[in-house]
Amino acid sequence: MAMVAQNNLLLKAASKQLCKAFGIRLVKDTQIVQLAKNASFDALFIDLEHSTLSLEDAGNLCRTGLQLGITPFVRVPWKCGDGFVQRVLDAGAMGVVFPHIQSQSDAEQAVAISKYPPFGRRSMTGSLPTFGLRKTPASTIMAESNANLSSVLLMVETKECVANIDAIASVKGVDVLLVGSNDLSLELGVPGEYKSREFQSALETISQACKKHGKMLGFAGVYENRELQEWAIQKLGAGFILGQQDSGLLARASVEVVNALEAIEGRQ
């Protein structure tokens, strides 16, 4: 029997716990995955939409995540094509984050390329990283991948998506509706105003659709803001959260180090 990777998103959902993701958009060295694991993150959010990371970089990061037991998800560029999504999954991603979803049709297309028949049209290959590169019967690959190893995360970032959220949430095979806070607030005309009525009303609508159709609400784009994160998790029921990204952590820590040294220097 081939070794099958565990999907921490689904495990956390089953136990009603929060799945905490670490974003990677800058550092291609796979040691960053070990640091994320050491910090007890549950998942990786490898960003190919807003970075210069390559498919090879993503694959290396995914496979390291699989080895360490931290579930790798990859955000693909908008309108990247089914072939690119296929390669991301074959490279070791346990799920794909699809940006700029607008409609029920977009959601259905995302599921179709992520799942094997009879639920989708993903093409079959052997020696997949999610099965430890071991020879595995096609029937096992199809069953395990469709059920556990190819999560579908749809980003909610536009007015159209919010308007169509009930239909989008109804699509079978979708796991997470992930709020992209930056783009959504821009679309709503309140850029960065996460306490505004426009933004919070939209999130309440998304949360209601998730609860109605049994989907997980995800929250991204607002980092190290306890008040907003607590609202999303405790009030809206978010079960997946992008906690921070490598670039943000490096930027903040760099400023803190310099400020501390300048404070010491000023006491001389």
Side-chain angles (χ1 to χ4, degrees), residues 186-227:
L186 284 172
E187 282 267 332
L188 296 173
V190 288
E193 297 177 28
Y194 303 124
K195 291 185 178 181
S196 67
R197 188 59 207 153
E198 292 86 348
F199 181 79
Q200 297 206 350
S201 177
L203 262 68
E204 288 167 354
T205 298
I206 300 163
S207 172
Q208 291 167 5
C210 286
K211 293 173 181 176
K212 176 181 177 180
H213 296 285
K215 300 300 191 289
M216 182 182 293
L217 174 66
F219 190 59
V222 178
Y223 308 122
E224 300 174 33
N225 186 320
R226 183 179 179 123
E227 181 182 358

Side-chain angles (χ1 to χ4, degrees), residues 15 21 29 63 85 89 99 110 113 128 170 188 207 227 245 255:
S15 58
D29 191 315
R63 290 187 291 275
V85 173
L89 288 167
I113 189 54
L128 289 167
S170 72
L188 296 173
S207 172
E227 181 182 358
Q245 299 187 85
V255 171

Side-chain angles (χ1 to χ4, degrees), residues 165-196:
I165 198 65
D166 189 72
I168 291 170
S170 72
V171 175
K172 185 176 181 180
V174 171
D175 294 288
V176 179
L177 296 179
L178 178 59
V179 175
S181 299
N182 291 312
D183 279 338
L184 183 57
S185 67
L186 284 172
E187 282 267 332
L188 296 173
V190 288
E193 297 177 28
Y194 303 124
K195 291 185 178 181
S196 67

Side-chain angles (χ1 to χ4, degrees), residues 234-253:
Q234 299 295 339
K235 300 298 183 181
L236 301 182
F240 177 88
I241 190 163
L242 180 56
Q244 190 38 292
Q245 299 187 85
D246 54 2
S247 55
L249 289 172
L250 286 168
R252 176 176 56 77

